[in-house]
Amino acid sequence: MKKLLYSLLIAASLFCMASCMEIDNFDAPDAHVTGRLTDKTTGENFITDHGDTHIRIWEMSYSINPAPQSIPVRFDGTYNNEKLFAGTYDMLPHNGPYWPADTIRNVAIGRKTVTQHFEVTPYLHITDFEAVLEGTTLTLSCRLSAPFTEMTINGEIVPLPNVLEVRPFLSLTQYCGAANYIGEYWTNDYRVNLRRAWSNIDTDGDGKSDATYTITVPVKKGYTYNVRMGANVNYTDQKFNYSEVKRIVVPND
């Protein structure tokens, strides 16, 4: 009886092993989608930091309630993914410093490259950005503007969230922003703390802030910095809208 039992157990084990060793007949994912985020108000690529915002996607081909996936957006506003399963996807720019965007539905993605662009409306623009080096002192300055001070969302008029702060970002690489910065500059000494509604910020006839926000930081001899300024508003993720990046070379002498 024991021999029969052992034989049955061995047979069951061999069957399981054989089942596990069956060849996976699914092709590796090779569907390709690419595109860019553009600023709806300027038509230019949306300025961000590397991986600071994402394209959220849902594969709708096989499920009515699929788990979301995310494609990171590069600092130049472009995105790319060559390892998706072919199918039909819903796609949405997600968690960036812009007013809620519309979901684009039923995007068919297959082996042929699909290009899908998105338009987003930033909460803020960083304007008149200047970076002036004197010795080992770097003075950064900018003004702010708000493309829209309110937006209709789901039938309701929603005001621009309160503006929180203006900060400098310095990096030793080409990537520069809240995801890539030199930590010693992330202090209250190097920021402008606003925390007020846009209606409480004085503006000129062009809609820019009357105030020029200026921050002075120490830098080191012989270093090359990539620098920019950013400002954020009080929404869920509190990501920053950015100026362009400028390259600052600090001489050795």
Side-chain angles (χ1 to χ4, degrees):
M1 184 67 181
K2 288 183 178 180
K3 288 183 179 180
L4 177 61
L5 180 59
Y6 290 151
S7 298
L8 291 172
L9 288 172
I10 291 171
S13 299
L14 290 173
F15 177 79
C16 290
M17 290 175 63
S19 298
C20 293
M21 293 174 65
E22 289 182 0
I23 297 174
D24 186 350
N25 58 0
F26 286 97
D27 292 332
D30 60 357
H32 181 198
V33 64
T34 188
R36 63 190 179 109
L37 266 65
T38 58
D39 183 332
K40 190 174 183 178
T41 64
T42 66
E44 298 177 355
N45 278 25
F46 178 74
I47 295 176
T48 185
D49 187 22
H50 190 73
D52 210 26
T53 187
H54 297 78
I55 305 298
R56 178 164 283 186
I57 65 173
W58 297 263
E59 186 180 3
M60 307 302 295
S61 309
Y62 307 106
S63 173
I64 60 173
N65 190 28
Q69 306 173 58
S70 288
I71 304 174
V73 176
R74 302 185 184 106
F75 68 96
D76 63 354
T78 63
Y79 73 94
N80 186 70
N81 191 319
E82 301 178 4
K83 296 297 181 181
L84 292 175
F85 285 105
T88 301
Y89 289 81
D90 289 351
M91 306 183 69
L92 170 70
H94 177 68
N95 79 344
Y98 38 75
W99 292 92
D102 294 328
T103 300
I104 296 181
R105 302 191 182 278
N106 301 317
V107 180
I109 301 175
R111 287 193 173 90
K112 185 178 179 180
T113 299
V114 172
T115 300
Q116 180 63 62
H117 301 312
F118 298 89
E119 288 185 328
V120 294
T121 303
Y123 286 122
L124 299 170
H125 282 155
I126 314 302
T127 67
D128 304 322
F129 172 50
E130 297 291 342
V132 178
L133 178 67
E134 294 184 0
T136 56
T137 298
L138 179 63
T139 300
L140 306 172
S141 62
C142 72
R143 296 167 70 192
L144 304 181
S145 68
F148 290 91
T149 58
E150 62 183 28
M151 189 78 71
T152 301
I153 300 174
N154 297 325
E156 295 185 6
I157 297 177
V158 178
L160 178 72
N162 285 0
V163 182
L164 293 178
E165 61 182 352
V166 180
R167 280 190 180 273
F169 295 92
L170 286 78
S171 172
L172 299 178
T173 73
Q174 62 176 319
Y175 305 114
C176 181
N180 300 277
Y181 62 90
I182 300 172
E184 67 187 84
Y185 300 108
W186 190 271
T187 72
N188 290 337
D189 293 334
Y190 304 129
R191 71 163 181 165
V192 178
N193 188 21
L194 292 172
R195 300 191 179 275
R196 67 188 69 171
W198 184 261
S199 59
N200 292 326
I201 295 176
D202 292 332
T203 58
D204 63 15
D206 292 331
K208 296 180 182 180
S209 61
D210 279 343
T212 296
Y213 303 106
T214 301
I215 299 171
T216 300
V217 299
V219 290
K220 296 178 181 180
K221 291 182 178 181
Y223 280 71
T224 297
Y225 296 88
N226 289 291
V227 303
R228 71 193 330 183
M229 294 184 79
N232 59 355
V233 302
N234 190 25
Y235 80 109
T236 303
D237 295 293
Q238 297 185 7
K239 299 291 181 67
F240 286 82
N241 291 115
Y242 295 107
S243 70
E244 70 275 21
V245 176
K246 294 191 175 187
R247 191 166 180 262
I248 302 296
V249 179
V250 185
N252 271 315
D253 49 12

